[in-house]
Amino acid sequence: MQPVIEILSRKIFASPIKDYVFSKNLISIRANSYSKGESYDWHVDSPHLDQKRTDISFTLFISDPDDYDGGELGTDDKGRLISVKLDAGSIFFYSTGMLHRVKEIRHGNRHCIVGWVESLVPEDLSRRFWQTFAQS
């Protein structure tokens, strides 16, 4: 099995992802696990870790979605609620300043890798502009 850091580096620094996050540095990779009854309420991530900006947060799903009930990653983008529960090996990116949570686990175990990316484009609005520009 390949080391997690190699897998993440390929996912984050390869197209088309790099065209979305404008990756500069991969910051503070952490494993997390949630079991029955556990959750993480609404919060935003720290804008700085390890003396670097954390512009983009990500969750890399390790567990198969059939291995647990509940545990969806919920985001709130200015009132637009999104619920995410992806296949093992899939990664979800969101702005570090976006309100998010992990819903309660009703059964099984949810394993993920979380981390942050310092972007070459520090402002979220500027990244969104360049994403739109690049897609047209």
Side-chain angles (χ1 to χ4, degrees):
M1 186 168 133
Q2 296 176 322
V4 171
I5 195 75
E6 286 180 28
I7 295 167
L8 284 170
S9 291
R10 276 200 316 277
K11 285 185 177 280
I12 292 170
F13 292 101
S15 287
I17 299 300
K18 71 176 178 126
D19 297 331
Y20 169 71
V21 299
F22 304 98
S23 312
K24 180 178 178 183
N25 288 308
L26 189 56
I27 302 165
S28 193
I29 309 305
R30 301 174 185 183
N32 68 24
S33 180
Y34 292 86
S35 301
K36 184 177 179 179
E38 294 182 322
S39 64
Y40 196 157
D41 207 2
W42 291 108
H43 66 283
V44 295
D45 293 339
S46 174
H48 293 91
L49 287 172
D50 302 335
Q51 300 179 348
K52 294 186 176 122
R53 285 189 336 268
T54 55
D55 303 311
I56 305 283
S57 299
F58 67 83
T59 299
L60 172 65
F61 290 83
I62 302 299
S63 299
D64 185 76
D66 295 333
D67 291 345
Y68 60 99
D69 293 325
E72 294 86 354
L73 172 64
T75 63
D76 182 345
D77 187 9
K78 300 175 186 162
R80 184 173 158 244
L81 300 178
I82 298 171
S83 186
V84 179
K85 186 175 180 180
L86 300 176
D87 291 334
S90 299
I91 191 166
F92 183 74
F93 294 93
Y94 49 98
S95 177
T96 296
M98 184 179 292
L99 197 59
H100 60 284
R101 69 175 176 178
V102 176
K103 294 180 182 178
E104 184 177 343
I105 300 289
R106 295 186 299 271
H107 174 76
N109 296 295
R110 174 191 188 264
H111 304 287
C112 292
I113 302 291
V114 297
W116 297 267
V117 176
E118 181 181 22
S119 177
L120 292 166
V121 181
E123 290 84 24
D124 187 49
L125 287 176
S126 297
R127 277 193 306 278
R128 289 182 188 205
F129 168 78
W130 285 110
Q131 291 159 13
T132 303
F133 179 77
Q135 292 171 0
S136 40

